[in-house]
Amino acid sequence: MINIQMVDLKSQYQKIKQEVDIEIEKVISNTAFINGSIVKEFQNNLAEYLDAKHVITCGNGTDALQIAMMALDLKPGDEVITSNFTFIATVEAIAVLGLKPVLVDVYKDTYNIDIEAIEKAITPKTKAIVPVHLFGQSADMEAIIEIAKKHKLKIIEDVAQATGGEYTFSNGETKKVGTIGDIGCTSFFPSKNLGCFGDGGAIFTNSDELAESLSSIVNHGMKVRYYHDKIGVNSRLDSIQAAILNVKLKSLDTYNNARIEAADFYDKAFKNCEKLITPFRSKNTKHIFHQYTLVTKNIDRPKMQEFLKEKGIPAMIYYPVPLHKQKAYESYGLSELSFPITEELCKTVISLPMHTEMDNEQLEYITKSVLEFTEK
Ligand SMILES: *Cc1c(COP(=O)(O)O)cnc(C)c1O
């Protein structure tokens, strides 16, 4: 049987092993493990790739979100609006600072934050919006910018699943996601579109003032050593990870295009299947398929997962429980509210293997097996 994984990091590593190993070896030899010059080099390279003025690396994507909110001076009790259909880290960062997460529903087609729902959720206490570019596709940034301007809100983009993704404005201007709002936050968790060999994250901004604040917060709130102007955290990308990311960044577009090609293959195979709705791609986004997520119709999802598992095909549910139903968030009084789209998606979505090393043999086998189940 062919070996199929949700994410195949081993095969990806084999192709860049020589270069990566040399770069890791260099860091070990010169022992600048923390804040080595390679970290600065990677920050500059990523800033250039994104066309962002500043990139500040940090320990992981969750920290990136928290640090962004600290830099924007959000205070306990301030309300932050975000999507109910995302990974927990997005709301965690809000809650951990004593801010109030205000969850809103998403669109049925893009799975991204619903613009009208944002408007309805705004109160005098609202300070920021955190759009999540879920599964690799940009949220509707033009509309979000308009709302933010109207209500004087900050925008923090959660780019953890979409590094390298793009959004095109109605005037034709295209930008990389994460460089559109006030601050963009990403993760280099190994399975993300740009992943390292451990934990890592980064924060993007075009504001000099915010960049200065962010750089100080990631490093104990200091600019001059042992003089602490702000309350900060310790959140750093280590030099070994920066060295690896420097190598992988060169292939990011190739990696993202490989994902898009795999998604094209899936789309074509499932086009006529009435029980599966293939992922929607907005005309004004470059969807880079962090996940390939289908919506199932009249399907016993656990049975489908079991059937695929027996054939050696992993399939995952991102995400099985809406955030407002999570035990840890009960005290926010969200569980009584209704989020019909998120609730329906949690019951019906299924994600198929998606990574940079998918070949036609694997794709044929997976699609044939999925269709064998749906046609039963
Ligand atoms: C992965 C992820 C994060 C958190 O990143 P970590 O590096 O794991 O802390 C935040 N938001 C979303 C949407 C993610 O997928």
Side-chain angles (χ1 to χ4, degrees):
M1 199 158 42
I2 45 177
N3 176 18
I4 297 176
Q5 291 165 61
M6 236 12 233
V7 181
D8 185 357
L9 294 174
K10 236 180 224 170
S11 306
Q12 191 192 59
Y13 170 56
Q14 284 312 322
K15 291 187 185 159
I16 51 172
K17 181 175 171 12
Q18 215 176 359
E19 195 179 355
V20 165
D21 290 4
I22 289 171
E23 292 303 316
I24 293 176
E25 187 66 39
K26 273 192 212 160
V27 177
I28 296 174
S29 311
N30 72 24
T31 65
F33 296 119
I34 300 287
N35 287 338
S37 60
I38 191 79
V39 177
K40 186 121 212 136
E41 205 180 296
F42 170 65
Q43 290 183 154
N44 291 340
N45 290 342
L46 184 58
E48 190 180 331
Y49 170 84
L50 294 167
D51 195 16
K53 204 159 172 203
H54 305 278
V55 167
I56 295 112
T57 51
C58 62
N60 57 68
T62 311
D63 278 3
L65 289 161
Q66 182 186 324
I67 293 158
M69 288 179 225
M70 290 170 79
L72 290 171
D73 259 338
L74 302 187
K75 295 281 183 322
D78 287 349
E79 295 180 3
V80 179
I81 297 174
T82 193
S83 162
N84 194 349
F85 191 55
T86 173
F87 179 55
I88 195 75
T90 320
V91 287
E92 212 166 51
I94 299 169
V96 113
L97 290 174
L99 313 174
K100 186 178 170 201
V102 176
L103 300 175
V104 300
D105 215 347
V106 294
Y107 290 121
K108 198 160 80 182
D109 52 3
T110 61
Y111 322 139
N112 275 328
I113 197 159
D114 181 318
I115 302 303
E116 264 177 52
I118 296 178
E119 289 239 64
K120 282 198 193 127
I122 292 171
T123 76
K125 287 185 173 171
T126 308
K127 291 288 153 57
I129 308 170
V130 184
V132 181
H133 307 304
L134 200 73
F135 303 150
Q137 176 159 244
S138 178
D140 184 355
M141 290 310 294
E142 188 155 346
I144 292 170
I145 286 176
E146 204 171 297
I147 295 177
K149 273 203 185 124
K150 191 163 130 198
H151 298 274
K152 297 198 167 54
L153 307 176
K154 299 294 182 191
I155 302 171
I156 301 168
E157 295 174 72
D158 183 339
V159 199
Q161 303 189 0
T163 309
E166 293 173 357
Y167 179 84
T168 303
F169 289 83
S170 52
N171 68 3
E173 189 188 4
T174 295
K175 286 187 177 178
K176 288 270 191 305
V177 294
T179 67
I180 301 166
D182 296 279
I183 301 181
C185 298
T186 201
S187 162
F188 304 125
F189 185 80
S191 64
K192 308 284 184 181
N193 291 53
L194 178 61
C196 58
F197 292 1
D199 274 312
I203 312 163
F204 326 141
T205 186
N206 289 319
S207 150
D208 297 339
E209 200 182 325
L210 281 174
E212 198 174 306
S213 178
L214 291 161
S215 312
S216 134
I217 292 170
V218 295
N219 191 23
H220 301 293
M222 64 186 178
K223 269 182 252 164
V224 180
R225 195 173 263 192
Y226 306 125
Y227 290 81
H228 306 274
D229 304 332
K230 284 178 185 293
I231 296 178
V233 294
N234 170 22
S235 186
R236 293 181 288 234
L237 183 75
D238 65 63
S239 305
I240 289 183
Q241 301 305 339
I244 294 160
L245 287 163
N246 246 338
V247 174
K248 289 184 72 174
L249 178 61
K250 290 188 276 185
S251 300
L252 181 57
D253 284 340
T254 309
Y255 289 156
N256 283 337
N257 289 334
R259 290 171 179 273
I260 294 169
E261 265 178 44
D264 290 345
F265 191 108
Y266 279 139
D267 275 2
K268 219 165 152 191
F270 302 140
K271 191 175 59 185
N272 297 319
C273 177
E274 282 176 6
K275 290 182 177 175
L276 299 173
I277 304 171
T278 55
F280 179 79
R281 305 187 203 191
S282 314
K283 281 200 302 286
N284 56 346
T285 67
K286 181 180 179 187
H287 189 331
I288 51 167
F289 291 94
H290 175 62
Q291 299 296 343
Y292 185 85
T293 305
L294 294 157
V295 172
T296 60
K297 277 198 296 185
N298 306 316
I299 273 183
D300 183 333
R301 198 172 55 168
K303 257 198 190 143
M304 177 174 173
Q305 240 181 328
E306 191 53 39
F307 178 88
L308 293 174
K309 193 176 163 199
E310 273 166 25
K311 292 189 168 285
I313 302 167
M316 301 286 287
I317 311 302
Y318 303 119
Y319 296 95
V321 183
L323 299 181
H324 74 286
K325 298 270 189 198
Q326 297 286 356
K327 189 157 176 273
Y329 292 83
E330 271 170 3
S331 66
Y332 293 100
L334 294 159
S335 61
E336 303 307 311
L337 304 177
S338 156
F339 302 88
I341 308 290
T342 299
E343 283 166 50
E344 184 63 19
L345 287 172
C346 288
K347 284 185 202 136
T348 55
V349 287
I350 190 161
S351 300
L352 297 179
M354 172 52 79
H355 53 78
T356 60
E357 312 300 315
M358 311 267 315
D359 59 27
N360 278 4
E361 189 193 4
Q362 292 184 31
L363 287 161
E364 263 159 33
Y365 178 72
I366 297 167
T367 50
K368 200 179 83 190
S369 305
V370 168
L371 291 172
E372 190 185 327
F373 179 82
T374 58
E375 281 157 16
K376 266 204 305 196

